[in-house]
Amino acid sequence: QGYKQANVVILHKSLADYFEKFCHANNGPLPLLHRSQPGDWKCPSLSSDSDIRTDCLQYRKYEHGVFTGSLKSLKEYSEQLKDMVTFYIGCSFSLEKALQRAGIPIRSVGQKRNASMYKTSVPCYSISMFHCNLVVTMRPIPESKLGAAVLATSELKEAHGAPIHIGDPGLLGIQYLSKPDYGDPVHLHPGDIPVFWACGLTGVEAIINCKAPLAFSLSPGCMLTTDLKNDHARSSGGVPQVHCISQDPLHFSIVSAEAAQKINALETLIGIDPGERGIRHLQRQGELLGACLAMSHARAVLITTGFPTHFTHQPPEENDGPPGALAIAAMLQALEKQVAIVTDHRAMDLHKKIIEGAVQLGILKKPIPLLSYQKEGADSALKFLCENGNPGRPRFDHLVAIERAGMAADGNYYNARKVNIKHLVDPIDELFLAARTIPGVTTTGVGDGGNELGMGKVKDAVKKHIKNGAVIACDVEADFTVVAGVSNWGGYAIACALHVLRCCDTHDRYLRRAVGLPGTAGKGLWLPALPSVTKEENLLKILVQLEVRSGKTASLEMEVDGLPFYNTHSLMIEKLL
C-alpha cells in the first residue's frame, strides 16, 4: 500500500505508436507511466530491478483478440518479446491508500475481495485499429464521504484521478452490480453510493478489439508494484465539489469550487429585488448551480415561456420571459444540445416571429422547433414527453419554465393582480407534473413573483411574503427553482452559468467520463452565444414592434417589468458577463 501500481499491456512494435496515441486520447482510463523500447523488459524509471517477464503474479495471453490462457511467467516468450513494446499504465489500486487516509473505508478490502470492474456503454476515443468501450472500477462510498473521496483522488492523475461517475450504474450501461466483468462482486453497506473510476483494463478491451496476432496483459488484480510512492502523483488542479442533480436515477455531478463560486455569485447578482416584491424570502442558495449542472448533463432540453398578464391587449403576453428563454436556448445550441420551445397554441405565430427575429439578430444559430401542448387524454403529457408514451424513452431530459404562468392550488392561473387568466393558458404544467414520474427527467422553474410555473417548491414562502400570494402562488414545483428580480435575468444567469461549467476542466472531464479530448478547447464557440447588451436591446425592439408589452405597466417603451432597459437591464447584463 502507498506505492504506485501499474497495469501492463504488451504489443507488437508495429502497433505501439497507435496504442500510445490511444492512451493519450483516453488518459482517464489509460494514464501512461512509461513506454518501453522493443525488447526492453526493464523499466528503471518505475522499478530499479524490474523484469516485466516475471514481476507480476499472473499474465493473460491474447491471440487474434481471443484470450488463450493464463501464465505465471513470460520467459518462454522471450524471443517474441524482442519485437514487442511494454506499456505501463496507472492503476486505481494506487488511490486506495489515499481514500483510507481520508477516513473512507475500502469495502473490497474489508470483504477480502478483489475490486469490482465493469464494461460500460461509454465509447473511448478511437485511434486507428484501437477502439473499445470504457472499463470502470466500482467502490462503494458512504454518501457523507463522497466529497472527501473525490478530493482525495482528484490529485492522483496517474492513478485515474477523480471518479468519472457517481450514482446509478445504469447510466453507464451497467445492468447488475452483482455481476462484474472482472474482479469480484463487492457489497454495498446501507447508505453507500456506487462510485466509478476509470480502469486500466480498458486497454485490454482495446487489445481484444484490435485482434493483434499476439498480446499480453496482467490478470485483473495482479498489478505491477513500482518503487514510486503515490505522493509523486501530479496534481490535476482545482478543488472539486460533489452535488446531487437527480434522485431517480440517483446521479451526482462534480464541479470545481472556483466554478461553483462564480455561479453562486451570478445567483446573488440576479437576486436583487427592484420591484420590492419580497422575493428574497423565496431564494435558496445553490438552486442555479443545481439547475445548470442538470442541464449540462442533459441531451435535450424543452423550454416553456409566456405569461399573458395583459388580458385586455392583443397579444396579451408580457416581454419578460421570451428574452430569457432565448438566452438559455442560444447557449444550449452552442453546447450542441437539442432544444425546443413549447408555448400556448394561440401564441404560436407570435413566438415564431420572435424566434425568426432572434435568428436574424444572431442570438440563435438556427431556428428552434416550436411546439404546443393540448390535453387530449389522461396520458397526453407522457405521450408528448416520451416516444410512444414509454417512460423509458424520454424525448427530453430537462424541462425549463421561465416566466410561464403557473397553476395555482385551485386549478386557475393568476397574474400578480389576482386576475384569473386561465382562458389564455394551455396546461403545460401537466408536462412538469408528468416529468416527476419519468426517470432521468429533471425540471427548472425561473420566476420573479411566485405565480410562475415551477415556483411550487417555494409556495409556502410565496403565500406568506408575496402580495396576493395566498391566491396566486403556483402549486406546481420544479426540481430547481431560480428566483430573480426579473425572470429574464434568471435566463441570462443560466446562460452564463452553463458557460462557466463548460469552461471548468473538472466538470468537463466528468461530463466526458475522462475519455476523449478536453471539451474546453471549444471555448471560442461558446462565448458568442452569451447574451450581450446589444443583442438584448435589439431583441426588445423587436418585441416592441410586435406589441409585446412591459409586465407591470403595459407600456410599449424600452422597458421590462416597468424597469428601463438602459441602466437597469443593460447594467445587469454587463454585471453578469
Side-chain angles (χ1 to χ4, degrees):
Q1 284 188 340
Y3 284 88
K4 203 176 282 184
Q5 296 180 52
N7 255 304
V8 170
V9 168
I10 305 174
L11 291 164
H12 191 267
K13 62 186 180 184
S14 63
L15 303 173
D17 286 350
Y18 296 111
F19 189 73
E20 182 175 355
K21 286 176 184 170
F22 184 71
C23 291
H24 291 316
N26 300 283
N27 69 355
L30 302 170
L32 193 54
L33 303 178
H34 180 74
R35 170 189 166 170
S36 79
Q37 291 299 314
D40 185 1
W41 34 76
K42 296 193 181 302
C43 185
S45 64
L46 298 179
S47 181
S48 56
D49 57 349
S50 63
D51 183 338
I52 198 55
R53 298 172 301 171
T54 56
D55 276 352
C56 304
L57 285 170
Q58 195 173 62
Y59 303 84
R60 288 166 77 94
K61 182 173 70 162
Y62 295 90
E63 294 175 282
H64 300 285
V66 178
F67 168 60
T68 54
S70 296
L71 308 159
K72 294 289 184 190
S73 163
L74 297 182
K75 276 202 163 173
E76 63 182 288
Y77 292 94
S78 294
E79 197 57 39
Q80 291 93 324
L81 287 171
K82 286 178 182 175
D83 285 324
M84 299 182 84
V85 172
T86 304
F87 289 86
Y88 300 81
I89 295 160
C91 168
S92 66
F93 288 154
S94 300
L95 52 77
E96 291 190 342
K97 187 68 177 174
L99 290 170
Q100 287 173 320
R101 271 204 305 269
I104 296 161
I106 307 298
R107 301 292 189 214
S108 58
V109 173
Q111 294 168 29
K112 294 185 167 54
R113 292 166 175 240
N114 192 356
S116 305
M117 291 158 267
Y118 305 86
K119 299 175 187 179
T120 72
S121 58
V122 178
C124 290
Y125 188 92
S126 299
I127 298 286
S128 188
M129 71 289 290
F130 291 107
H131 61 92
C132 66
N133 285 356
L134 175 68
V135 178
V136 293
T137 307
M138 188 279 293
R139 293 177 178 83
I141 305 286
E143 186 169 358
S144 61
K145 303 272 189 183
L146 290 176
V150 173
L151 186 60
T153 58
S154 63
E155 297 285 296
L156 302 173
K157 198 174 180 183
E158 291 180 345
H160 303 302
I164 58 92
H165 178 63
I166 303 173
D168 193 306
L171 294 170
L172 293 177
I174 299 167
Q175 277 192 297
Y176 304 107
L177 283 181
S178 59
K179 296 179 180 177
D181 295 291
Y182 300 100
D184 303 319
V186 177
H187 303 300
L188 278 72
H189 289 207
D192 280 355
I193 305 292
V195 180
F196 299 86
W197 278 264
C199 176
L201 287 175
T202 303
V204 175
E205 292 297 308
I207 286 177
I208 291 169
N209 287 345
C210 90
K211 294 181 166 55
L214 180 66
F216 301 99
S217 77
L218 304 185
S219 290
C222 301
M223 299 302 148
L224 173 76
T225 305
T226 73
D227 295 346
L228 303 180
K229 288 281 184 84
N230 277 330
D231 304 344
H232 294 207
R234 292 196 309 271
S235 166
S236 53
V239 177
Q241 294 182 359
V242 180
H243 296 271
C244 183
I245 57 170
S246 167
Q247 289 293 337
D248 181 21
L250 189 62
H251 191 192
F252 294 80
S253 189
I254 296 179
V255 62
S256 73
E258 183 189 10
Q261 200 175 348
K262 273 188 188 179
I263 292 169
N264 289 335
L266 293 172
E267 188 172 48
T268 301
L269 269 178
I270 62 171
I272 59 168
D273 189 5
E276 296 180 349
R277 300 178 186 182
I279 62 157
R280 65 185 176 85
H281 299 289
L282 317 184
Q283 290 162 349
R284 296 181 181 187
Q285 178 78 39
E287 294 287 301
L288 178 65
L289 177 59
C292 291
L293 283 170
M295 275 182 249
S296 184
H297 282 270
R299 170 190 48 84
V301 180
L302 180 67
I303 302 171
T304 183
T305 190
F307 207 121
T309 192
H310 303 304
F311 53 93
T312 59
H313 291 281
Q314 192 56 36
E317 269 67 28
E318 62 166 296
N319 59 12
D320 188 18
L326 292 174
I328 298 168
M331 184 53 69
L332 292 171
Q333 266 191 347
L335 298 175
E336 298 183 341
K337 297 186 185 293
Q338 295 172 39
V339 58
I341 288 179
V342 60
T343 192
D344 301 299
H345 188 262
R346 55 156 190 84
M348 289 283 278
D349 190 50
L350 171 66
H351 281 91
K352 186 168 177 279
K353 289 173 182 170
I354 295 171
I355 289 169
E356 285 168 357
V359 173
Q360 285 168 5
L361 293 173
I363 293 171
L364 296 174
K365 285 192 294 186
K366 58 184 180 184
I368 293 172
L370 187 60
L371 313 170
S372 67
Y373 169 74
Q374 303 293 319
K375 182 170 186 174
E376 289 160 1
D379 58 353
S380 291
L382 207 57
K383 283 180 175 173
F384 184 93
L385 291 173
C386 304
E387 288 178 35
N388 303 319
N390 176 3
R393 302 186 67 187
R395 289 191 179 97
F396 307 97
D397 31 23
H398 195 85
L399 276 56
V400 185
I402 174 166
E403 193 63 23
R404 169 72 197 172
M407 187 169 64
D410 63 3
N412 292 318
Y413 296 80
Y414 296 96
N415 68 12
R417 291 179 288 281
K418 217 164 56 171
V419 176
N420 185 1
I421 51 172
K422 185 176 182 176
H423 61 291
L424 296 170
V425 181
D426 289 346
I428 288 169
D429 305 63
E430 290 178 6
L431 302 180
F432 279 66
L433 293 168
R436 303 188 79 78
T437 69
I438 305 169
V441 180
T442 47
T443 57
T444 294
V446 184
D448 57 16
N451 56 345
E452 301 91 357
L453 177 51
M455 292 287 129
K457 188 172 180 179
V458 292
K459 64 185 175 186
D460 292 339
V462 174
K463 289 172 184 176
K464 188 174 179 183
H465 298 288
I466 301 295
K467 186 182 177 185
N468 300 324
V471 174
I472 71 171
C474 176
D475 203 49
V476 180
E477 66 179 85
D479 295 307
F480 305 100
T481 302
V482 177
V483 178
V486 177
S487 293
N488 281 343
W489 299 352
Y492 304 151
I494 287 172
C496 292
L498 286 169
H499 182 264
V500 169
L501 282 179
R502 194 45 74 89
C503 293
C504 167
D505 290 332
T506 301
H507 182 66
D508 168 69
R509 180 187 186 275
Y510 188 77
L511 264 189
R512 60 185 169 85
R513 316 286 196 202
V515 296
L517 305 170
T520 45
K523 286 179 188 178
L525 302 172
W526 311 324
L527 268 173
L530 286 167
S532 72
V533 171
T534 304
K535 285 193 285 192
E536 297 308 311
E537 177 186 17
N538 289 333
L539 181 59
L540 187 54
K541 285 176 180 173
I542 287 175
L543 291 174
V544 169
Q545 286 166 13
L546 293 169
E547 298 190 10
V548 180
R549 298 165 186 272
S550 172
K552 208 169 182 180
T553 60
S555 83
L556 284 171
E557 301 298 320
M558 289 292 286
E559 64 171 53
V560 178
D561 272 357
L563 303 166
F565 178 81
Y566 305 105
N567 296 329
T568 301
H569 300 288
S570 61
L571 207 61
M572 177 57 71
I573 294 163
E574 285 171 358
K575 284 180 180 176
L576 290 168
L577 291 172

